[in-house]
Amino acid sequence: MKNSKITRNIGRVLAVAALAGGGLAVAGTGANAADGGTWDALAQCESGGNWAINTGNGYSGGLQFSPSTWAAYGGSGAPESASREQQIAVAENILAGQGWGAWPSCAAQLGLSGGGGQAYTPAAVPAPAPVAAQAAEVAPVAQAPVVEAPAQQAPVEVAAPVAQAPAVAPIAVSGETYTIESGDTLSTIADKLGIQGGWETLYQANVDTVIHPDLIFTGAVLQLPA
């Protein structure tokens, strides 16, 4: 395991040293197991005794497991999310397989050595029992035919015919002409020449040349109605 670089106070260092001096090198027994005090001392060295630590350095939990080692030796989920007891149970499996060398620096500081050599075999998971076949097949449920209601169409509104203005009969011209003088208007010209129908008739006779009845030009030639 990676030795976490956690600064410890003097009391913690003395406690670890006392535990090491007290004979924590219990590995090498037939069962390759350690008691809870040994794991607590190792966790104190690895993580400052914080079983829920995860600094993002690739190792987490009190005993600084890597994700691959944690999963390979029976751990589930994340090490830092597991309880102290669960982490110790996985650590026992690692100790049996790899020995104290899995935690090289802290194990050396605590005088722990030996162990390992036992293959880890995960517990077999029983296969689910086959589901008994049903005695009778369930007949498919017949669905009633879907009857579609006839779609109702909105009534079509017929637009009312647009009334057209009655066509204006063309005004016959006499062939005579009048040249517009300065100051003339269609009204004064019609009065001066005695045109029946007044300026309206004079205008209708010249709709092709007069743009507007109030807009005539001096020198323009008007056709006189018959």
Side-chain angles (χ1 to χ4, degrees):
M1 294 295 155
K2 180 176 177 61
N3 182 22
S4 61
K5 298 179 180 179
I6 300 175
T7 304
R8 305 172 182 82
N9 57 37
I10 297 175
R12 288 181 176 178
V13 172
L14 293 177
V16 172
L19 288 171
L24 288 179
V26 296
T29 61
N32 284 332
D35 58 22
T38 302
W39 292 118
D40 286 335
L42 185 62
Q44 184 68 36
C45 177
E46 288 283 345
S47 64
N50 186 352
W51 294 90
I53 192 171
N54 183 359
T55 62
N57 64 349
Y59 299 86
S60 62
L63 300 173
Q64 293 293 277
F65 301 95
S66 68
S68 58
T69 302
W70 173 260
Y73 284 89
S76 60
E80 69 273 17
S81 300
S83 66
R84 169 184 174 274
E85 290 72 19
Q86 290 172 326
Q87 294 184 46
I88 290 176
V90 174
E92 292 284 1
N93 294 333
I94 297 172
L95 176 61
Q98 299 183 19
W100 289 110
W103 300 273
S105 178
C106 285
Q109 293 181 40
L110 297 174
L112 302 172
S113 62
Q118 298 182 16
Y120 170 68
T121 304
V125 179
V131 180
Q134 296 183 357
E137 295 183 356
V138 179
V141 178
Q143 295 183 352
V146 178
V147 179
E148 296 184 358
Q152 295 182 353
Q153 296 182 351
V156 179
E157 296 183 0
V158 180
V162 179
Q164 297 181 353
V168 179
I171 301 298
V173 295
S174 63
E176 297 180 0
T177 61
Y178 174 83
T179 302
I180 299 174
E181 300 175 354
S182 177
D184 279 343
T185 65
L186 291 183
S187 180
T188 59
I189 295 172
D191 292 341
K192 181 168 54 176
L193 299 179
I195 297 175
Q196 293 183 357
W199 70 266
E200 292 91 344
T201 302
L202 181 60
Y203 171 69
Q204 292 296 330
N206 294 276
V207 291
D208 294 335
T209 56
V210 177
I211 299 174
H212 191 274
D214 293 331
L215 183 63
I216 60 176
F217 299 94
T218 301
V221 178
L222 298 176
Q223 298 291 330
L224 301 179

Short mmCIF file of all heavy atoms in Angstrom, two decimals, residues 2-17 40-50 53 62 64 105-106 109-110:
data_model
loop_
_atom_site.label_atom_id
_atom_site.label_comp_id
_atom_site.label_asym_id
_atom_site.label_seq_id
_atom_site.Cartn_x
_atom_site.Cartn_y
_atom_site.Cartn_z
N LYS A 2 0.39 2.38 -0.50
CA LYS A 2 1.14 3.63 -0.54
C LYS A 2 1.09 4.26 0.84
O LYS A 2 0.04 4.38 1.44
CB LYS A 2 0.53 4.57 -1.58
CG LYS A 2 1.26 5.89 -1.65
CD LYS A 2 0.66 6.74 -2.78
CE LYS A 2 1.32 8.10 -2.83
NZ LYS A 2 2.73 8.00 -3.10
N ASN A 3 2.24 4.70 1.33
CA ASN A 3 2.30 5.35 2.64
C ASN A 3 1.86 6.78 2.47
O ASN A 3 2.47 7.55 1.76
CB ASN A 3 3.74 5.27 3.18
CG ASN A 3 3.84 5.88 4.56
OD1 ASN A 3 2.82 5.99 5.25
ND2 ASN A 3 5.02 6.29 4.96
N SER A 4 0.73 7.16 3.06
CA SER A 4 0.22 8.52 2.95
C SER A 4 1.11 9.47 3.70
O SER A 4 1.60 9.17 4.79
CB SER A 4 -1.21 8.59 3.50
OG SER A 4 -1.21 8.23 4.84
N LYS A 5 1.33 10.66 3.13
CA LYS A 5 2.22 11.65 3.75
C LYS A 5 1.43 12.55 4.66
O LYS A 5 1.15 13.70 4.34
CB LYS A 5 2.92 12.45 2.66
CG LYS A 5 3.81 11.58 1.77
CD LYS A 5 4.48 12.40 0.69
CE LYS A 5 5.35 11.54 -0.20
NZ LYS A 5 5.99 12.32 -1.26
N ILE A 6 1.00 12.01 5.78
CA ILE A 6 0.18 12.77 6.74
C ILE A 6 1.05 13.12 7.94
O ILE A 6 1.71 12.25 8.53
CB ILE A 6 -1.04 11.96 7.18
CG1 ILE A 6 -1.89 11.63 5.93
CG2 ILE A 6 -1.86 12.70 8.21
CD1 ILE A 6 -3.05 10.73 6.24
N THR A 7 1.07 14.38 8.25
CA THR A 7 1.87 14.82 9.40
C THR A 7 1.19 14.40 10.69
O THR A 7 0.01 14.69 10.87
CB THR A 7 2.03 16.34 9.37
OG1 THR A 7 2.61 16.70 8.13
CG2 THR A 7 2.91 16.82 10.51
N ARG A 8 1.87 13.75 11.54
CA ARG A 8 1.29 13.27 12.80
C ARG A 8 1.89 14.06 13.96
O ARG A 8 3.05 14.50 13.92
CB ARG A 8 1.58 11.79 12.98
CG ARG A 8 1.08 10.95 11.78
CD ARG A 8 1.57 9.51 11.93
NE ARG A 8 1.14 8.72 10.78
CZ ARG A 8 1.78 8.71 9.63
NH1 ARG A 8 2.86 9.43 9.46
NH2 ARG A 8 1.35 7.96 8.64
N ASN A 9 1.13 14.22 15.00
CA ASN A 9 1.68 14.89 16.17
C ASN A 9 2.55 13.91 16.95
O ASN A 9 2.60 12.70 16.69
CB ASN A 9 0.56 15.46 17.05
CG ASN A 9 -0.42 14.37 17.48
OD1 ASN A 9 -0.01 13.24 17.74
ND2 ASN A 9 -1.69 14.72 17.57
N ILE A 10 3.27 14.46 17.92
CA ILE A 10 4.27 13.65 18.63
C ILE A 10 3.60 12.51 19.39
O ILE A 10 4.11 11.38 19.45
CB ILE A 10 5.06 14.55 19.60
CG1 ILE A 10 5.83 15.59 18.79
CG2 ILE A 10 5.99 13.75 20.48
CD1 ILE A 10 6.56 16.61 19.65
N GLY A 11 2.38 12.77 19.91
CA GLY A 11 1.70 11.72 20.67
C GLY A 11 1.41 10.51 19.82
O GLY A 11 1.54 9.37 20.27
N ARG A 12 1.00 10.76 18.53
CA ARG A 12 0.70 9.62 17.66
C ARG A 12 1.95 8.84 17.35
O ARG A 12 1.95 7.60 17.27
CB ARG A 12 0.04 10.10 16.36
CG ARG A 12 -1.39 10.59 16.55
CD ARG A 12 -1.97 11.03 15.23
NE ARG A 12 -3.37 11.40 15.38
CZ ARG A 12 -4.11 11.87 14.39
NH1 ARG A 12 -3.61 12.02 13.20
NH2 ARG A 12 -5.39 12.16 14.59
N VAL A 13 3.07 9.54 17.11
CA VAL A 13 4.31 8.83 16.79
C VAL A 13 4.73 7.96 17.96
O VAL A 13 5.15 6.80 17.80
CB VAL A 13 5.40 9.86 16.45
CG1 VAL A 13 6.76 9.16 16.30
CG2 VAL A 13 5.03 10.59 15.18
N LEU A 14 4.59 8.52 19.18
CA LEU A 14 4.98 7.73 20.34
C LEU A 14 4.08 6.52 20.50
O LEU A 14 4.53 5.44 20.90
CB LEU A 14 4.92 8.61 21.60
CG LEU A 14 5.97 9.75 21.64
CD1 LEU A 14 5.76 10.60 22.88
CD2 LEU A 14 7.38 9.19 21.60
N ALA A 15 2.77 6.71 20.21
CA ALA A 15 1.85 5.57 20.35
C ALA A 15 2.20 4.46 19.38
O ALA A 15 2.17 3.28 19.73
CB ALA A 15 0.41 6.05 20.12
N VAL A 16 2.53 4.85 18.12
CA VAL A 16 2.90 3.83 17.14
C VAL A 16 4.17 3.13 17.55
O VAL A 16 4.32 1.91 17.45
CB VAL A 16 3.05 4.48 15.74
CG1 VAL A 16 3.62 3.47 14.75
CG2 VAL A 16 1.71 4.98 15.27
N ALA A 17 5.12 3.92 18.04
CA ALA A 17 6.40 3.31 18.46
C ALA A 17 6.20 2.35 19.61
O ALA A 17 6.82 1.28 19.68
CB ALA A 17 7.39 4.40 18.87
N ASP A 40 -5.15 -1.16 13.73
CA ASP A 40 -5.29 0.25 14.11
C ASP A 40 -3.95 0.96 14.05
O ASP A 40 -3.86 2.12 13.59
CB ASP A 40 -5.87 0.36 15.53
CG ASP A 40 -7.35 0.01 15.58
OD1 ASP A 40 -8.03 0.16 14.54
OD2 ASP A 40 -7.83 -0.40 16.66
N ALA A 41 -2.88 0.28 14.50
CA ALA A 41 -1.56 0.89 14.44
C ALA A 41 -1.12 1.09 12.99
O ALA A 41 -0.52 2.12 12.64
CB ALA A 41 -0.54 0.01 15.18
N LEU A 42 -1.41 0.12 12.13
CA LEU A 42 -1.05 0.24 10.72
C LEU A 42 -1.85 1.36 10.06
O LEU A 42 -1.32 2.14 9.26
CB LEU A 42 -1.31 -1.09 10.00
CG LEU A 42 -0.88 -1.15 8.53
CD1 LEU A 42 0.63 -0.95 8.40
CD2 LEU A 42 -1.28 -2.50 7.91
N ALA A 43 -3.14 1.47 10.42
CA ALA A 43 -3.96 2.54 9.86
C ALA A 43 -3.46 3.90 10.35
O ALA A 43 -3.50 4.90 9.61
CB ALA A 43 -5.42 2.34 10.26
N GLN A 44 -2.99 3.97 11.60
CA GLN A 44 -2.45 5.23 12.14
C GLN A 44 -1.24 5.68 11.31
O GLN A 44 -1.06 6.86 11.01
CB GLN A 44 -2.05 5.04 13.60
CG GLN A 44 -1.57 6.30 14.29
CD GLN A 44 -2.68 7.31 14.48
OE1 GLN A 44 -3.82 6.95 14.74
NE2 GLN A 44 -2.34 8.58 14.34
N CYS A 45 -0.41 4.73 10.92
CA CYS A 45 0.77 5.04 10.12
C CYS A 45 0.40 5.39 8.68
O CYS A 45 0.93 6.31 8.10
CB CYS A 45 1.74 3.85 10.15
SG CYS A 45 3.22 4.07 9.13
N GLU A 46 -0.56 4.65 8.09
CA GLU A 46 -0.92 4.83 6.69
C GLU A 46 -1.75 6.08 6.45
O GLU A 46 -1.54 6.80 5.47
CB GLU A 46 -1.69 3.59 6.17
CG GLU A 46 -0.87 2.35 5.99
CD GLU A 46 -0.02 2.39 4.73
OE1 GLU A 46 -0.28 3.24 3.87
OE2 GLU A 46 0.90 1.56 4.60
N SER A 47 -2.73 6.34 7.33
CA SER A 47 -3.70 7.40 7.04
C SER A 47 -3.98 8.30 8.23
O SER A 47 -4.95 9.06 8.20
CB SER A 47 -5.02 6.76 6.58
OG SER A 47 -5.58 5.97 7.62
N GLY A 48 -3.16 8.20 9.29
CA GLY A 48 -3.46 8.97 10.49
C GLY A 48 -4.65 8.42 11.24
O GLY A 48 -5.26 9.12 12.05
N GLY A 49 -5.02 7.18 10.95
CA GLY A 49 -6.15 6.55 11.63
C GLY A 49 -7.51 6.94 11.08
O GLY A 49 -8.54 6.66 11.68
N ASN A 50 -7.52 7.56 9.90
CA ASN A 50 -8.79 7.99 9.27
C ASN A 50 -9.25 6.90 8.31
O ASN A 50 -8.72 6.76 7.21
CB ASN A 50 -8.60 9.31 8.54
CG ASN A 50 -9.91 9.88 8.00
OD1 ASN A 50 -10.94 9.21 8.04
ND2 ASN A 50 -9.86 11.10 7.50
N ILE A 53 -10.74 8.16 4.70
CA ILE A 53 -9.94 9.14 3.96
C ILE A 53 -9.87 8.79 2.48
O ILE A 53 -9.84 7.62 2.09
CB ILE A 53 -8.51 9.24 4.56
CG1 ILE A 53 -7.78 10.45 4.00
CG2 ILE A 53 -7.71 7.97 4.28
CD1 ILE A 53 -6.46 10.73 4.70
N GLY A 62 -8.61 3.54 5.55
CA GLY A 62 -7.65 3.60 6.64
C GLY A 62 -6.35 2.91 6.33
O GLY A 62 -5.28 3.33 6.79
N GLN A 64 -5.23 2.45 3.17
CA GLN A 64 -4.77 2.92 1.86
C GLN A 64 -4.77 1.81 0.81
O GLN A 64 -3.75 1.39 0.28
CB GLN A 64 -3.38 3.54 1.99
CG GLN A 64 -3.35 4.82 2.81
CD GLN A 64 -4.08 5.96 2.12
OE1 GLN A 64 -3.53 6.65 1.27
NE2 GLN A 64 -5.35 6.16 2.48
N SER A 105 6.32 0.30 3.81
CA SER A 105 6.95 1.31 4.67
C SER A 105 6.45 1.22 6.10
O SER A 105 7.23 1.12 7.06
CB SER A 105 6.70 2.70 4.10
OG SER A 105 7.27 3.69 4.94
N CYS A 106 5.10 1.25 6.25
CA CYS A 106 4.54 1.24 7.60
C CYS A 106 4.76 -0.11 8.28
O CYS A 106 4.95 -0.17 9.51
CB CYS A 106 3.06 1.60 7.55
SG CYS A 106 2.75 3.37 7.27
N GLN A 109 8.13 0.05 9.69
CA GLN A 109 8.20 0.91 10.87
C GLN A 109 7.64 0.21 12.11
O GLN A 109 8.13 0.41 13.23
CB GLN A 109 7.42 2.21 10.62
CG GLN A 109 8.04 3.12 9.57
CD GLN A 109 7.25 4.40 9.38
OE1 GLN A 109 6.77 4.98 10.35
NE2 GLN A 109 7.10 4.81 8.13
N LEU A 110 6.64 -0.62 11.91
CA LEU A 110 5.99 -1.30 13.03
C LEU A 110 6.60 -2.66 13.32
O LEU A 110 6.13 -3.38 14.22
CB LEU A 110 4.48 -1.45 12.76
CG LEU A 110 3.70 -0.14 12.62
CD1 LEU A 110 2.26 -0.42 12.21
CD2 LEU A 110 3.72 0.65 13.93
#
